[in-house]
């Protein structure tokens, strides 16, 4: 006991205990990142196993891109870990303070269900509102579908504000820490639907859950597949709200985005849609018409001013690919 007391004195004198007491509430919401850190070795192992299966097909696997995908995911994890406690956690704590109901630990399943429901609407908004799409587009810009694609995430997510879709759960009375944990487990599950190796699962699984088949549709840029199958763990939300489309063997998904960005630069991959969006907002027009680019769909464009022939029929400007840079 004396030795333990001596060790505690060393820690107290170092200032680390007080630092931890200060940081612990800040990092509490991001216990989900701890789950991601623990899961990452599994992700890498599964990706290596998949690589051995598909390495001879460049349409399915490109090693430099796979490494880049993990780098994109690492950037996302770093910004989430550093800033979630500063930006999101105080808002969640405020909502939870004024919660409507007193819920207990037995509501775990309802937490999962609520998070999955909110994920559906967050995901749908991230495709149909350009501000959110600007952060989400990096996840869709790969022209391959494999486990590494799941790691393509945006380091700006925490600043983009997609976390606001889960605030109603805290206001109802669900503990924000458990909301974050349920969200983390949902993302871990979703990692495993990013593959072409699993064709179809039993019918009851395909009916209830998001599966590799359903998610291949979601990543397709085929006109029939765009903005479909938003579900995270469950696919029932898509069936309920009319956004479900099954994968067709006669119409295999073509992966990527309609205005493909060809770049190996992480910063470009994270920011190109923001650049394009703000460029569109800078075009002449009223303040309201410019701001509409933030919440209208990504493909929406303002009508060109009638007194400006230079803008008539102007195409949607885009960030150039690496090959187009001087």
């Amino acid at each position: 006991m004396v030795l333990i007391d001596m060790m505690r004195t060393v820690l107290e004198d170092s200032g680390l205990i007080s630092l931890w007491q200060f940081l612990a509430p800040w990092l509490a919401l991001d216990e989900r990142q701890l789950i991601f850190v623990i899961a990452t070795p599994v992700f890498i192992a599964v990706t290596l196993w998949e690589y051995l299966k598909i390495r001879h097909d460049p349409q399915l696997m490109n090693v430099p891109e796979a490494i880049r995908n993990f780098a994109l995911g690492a950037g996302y994890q770093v910004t989430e870990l550093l800033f979630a406690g500063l930006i999101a956690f105080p808002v969640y704590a405020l909502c939870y303070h004024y919660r409507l109901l007193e819920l207990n630990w037995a509501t775990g399943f309802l937490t999962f269900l609520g998070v999955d429901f909110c994920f559906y609407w967050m995901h749908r908004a991230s495709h149909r509102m350009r501000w959110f799409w600007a952060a989400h587009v990096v996840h869709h810009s790969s022209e391959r579908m494999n486990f590494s694609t799941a790691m393509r995430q945006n380091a700006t997510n925490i600043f983009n504000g997609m976390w606001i879709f889960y605030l109603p759960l805290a206001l109802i009375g669900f503990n924000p820490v458990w909301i974050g944990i349920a969200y983390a487990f949902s993302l871990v599950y979703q990692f495993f639907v990013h593959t072409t190796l699993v064709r179809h699962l039993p019918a009851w699984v395909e009916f209830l859950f998001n599966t590799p088949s359903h998610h291949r549709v979601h990543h397709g840029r085929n006109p029939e597949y765009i903005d479909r199958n938003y579900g995270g763990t469950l696919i029932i939300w898509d069936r309920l709200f009319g956004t479900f489309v099954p994968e067709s063997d006669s119409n295999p998904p073509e992966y990527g985005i309609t205005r493909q960005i060809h770049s190996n630069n992480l910063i470009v991959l994270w920011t190109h849609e923001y650049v394009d969006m703000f460029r569109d907002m800078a075009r002449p027009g009223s303040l309201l018409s410019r701001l509409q680019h933030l919440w209208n769909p990504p493909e929406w464009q303002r009508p060109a001013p009638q007194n400006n022939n230079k803008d008539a029929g102007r195409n949607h400007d885009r960030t150039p690919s690496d090959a187009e840079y001087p």
Side-chain angles (χ1 to χ4, degrees):
M1 290 297 295
V2 174
L3 183 58
I4 292 176
D5 289 339
M6 290 179 180
M7 293 168 63
R8 178 177 292 277
T9 300
V10 170
L11 286 173
E12 288 175 348
D13 289 348
S14 73
L16 288 179
I17 289 183
S18 9
L19 178 62
W20 171 249
Q21 289 172 343
F22 171 76
L23 289 178
W26 173 25
L27 297 176
L29 183 65
D30 239 30
E31 286 182 10
R32 59 201 175 105
Q33 291 302 322
L34 178 60
I35 294 172
F36 295 149
V37 169
I38 294 171
T40 295
V42 178
F43 294 161
I44 294 172
V46 172
T47 301
L48 290 173
W49 169 80
E50 183 188 49
Y51 165 76
L52 295 176
K53 298 282 188 181
I54 63 177
R55 66 185 184 278
H56 299 303
D57 189 343
Q59 302 253 339
L60 298 178
M61 172 58 71
N62 176 276
V63 173
E65 182 186 69
I67 295 171
R68 190 160 54 250
N69 291 346
F70 274 88
L72 290 165
Y76 158 77
Q77 288 193 11
V78 168
T79 55
E80 290 280 319
L81 183 63
L82 291 178
F83 295 104
L86 289 175
I87 297 172
F89 195 23
V91 185
Y92 274 93
L94 181 65
C95 290
Y96 187 67
H97 179 77
Y98 291 103
R99 58 192 178 275
L100 303 176
L101 302 174
E102 290 294 335
L103 304 177
N104 57 36
W105 61 269
T107 58
F109 176 72
L110 291 179
T111 305
F112 157 74
L113 206 60
V115 165
D116 205 60
F117 178 75
C118 291
F119 178 90
Y120 170 86
W121 289 106
M122 180 275 293
H123 197 183
R124 187 165 176 171
S126 71
H127 280 254
R128 302 310 301 147
M129 298 176 70
R130 196 172 180 189
W131 170 253
F132 295 127
W133 174 245
H136 187 56
V137 64
V138 65
H139 183 65
H140 283 266
S141 58
S142 172
E143 295 181 282
R144 297 173 181 84
M145 183 65 156
N146 54 58
F147 286 130
S148 77
T149 307
M151 304 303 292
R152 291 177 71 98
Q153 301 294 334
N154 203 315
T156 71
N157 275 12
I158 186 62
F159 311 108
N160 186 273
M162 286 187 279
W163 48 268
I164 66 173
F165 286 87
Y166 302 92
L167 289 176
L169 295 177
L171 192 59
I172 289 171
F174 293 99
N175 189 291
V177 171
W178 287 105
I179 293 171
I181 290 173
Y183 176 75
F185 280 120
S186 173
L187 291 190
V188 169
Y189 173 87
Q190 290 178 58
F191 172 87
F192 295 99
V193 300
H194 291 81
T195 184
T196 58
L197 292 180
V198 178
R199 297 309 302 167
H200 295 285
L201 296 173
W204 69 271
V205 177
E206 297 281 350
F207 182 81
L208 289 175
F209 294 97
N210 186 18
T211 65
S213 175
H214 299 330
H215 206 61
R216 285 192 292 270
V217 167
H218 178 71
H219 275 259
R221 60 185 172 194
N222 317 43
E224 302 84 356
Y225 292 162
I226 290 176
D227 296 335
R228 299 291 181 174
N229 298 6
Y230 296 114
T233 303
L234 302 174
I235 203 69
I236 56 174
W237 313 119
D238 290 281
R239 297 184 185 277
L240 285 172
F241 299 115
T243 53
F244 174 75
V245 167
E247 184 180 27
S248 171
D249 292 336
S250 62
N251 186 24
E254 179 185 346
Y255 304 113
I257 53 180
T258 55
R259 295 188 302 113
Q260 192 63 41
I261 181 78
H262 296 285
S263 178
N264 298 328
N265 187 308
L266 301 188
I267 303 300
V268 171
L269 291 171
W270 279 327
T271 62
H272 69 89
E273 185 63 22
Y274 289 107
V275 172
D276 293 347
M277 179 181 65
F278 288 125
R279 182 187 293 125
D280 287 338
M281 292 176 69
R283 289 170 50 201
S286 67
L287 177 61
L288 179 59
S289 67
R290 294 181 185 212
L291 291 177
Q292 286 183 72
H293 286 285
L294 296 172
W295 59 79
N296 275 338
E299 69 275 10
W300 178 82
Q301 284 294 291
R302 283 180 282 151
Q306 293 182 354
N307 61 347
N308 187 346
N309 293 330
K310 291 183 180 179
D311 279 343
R314 179 178 173 179
N315 289 328
H316 189 59
D317 287 337
R318 63 182 180 84
T319 299
S321 65
D322 286 354
E324 295 173 280
Y325 281 107

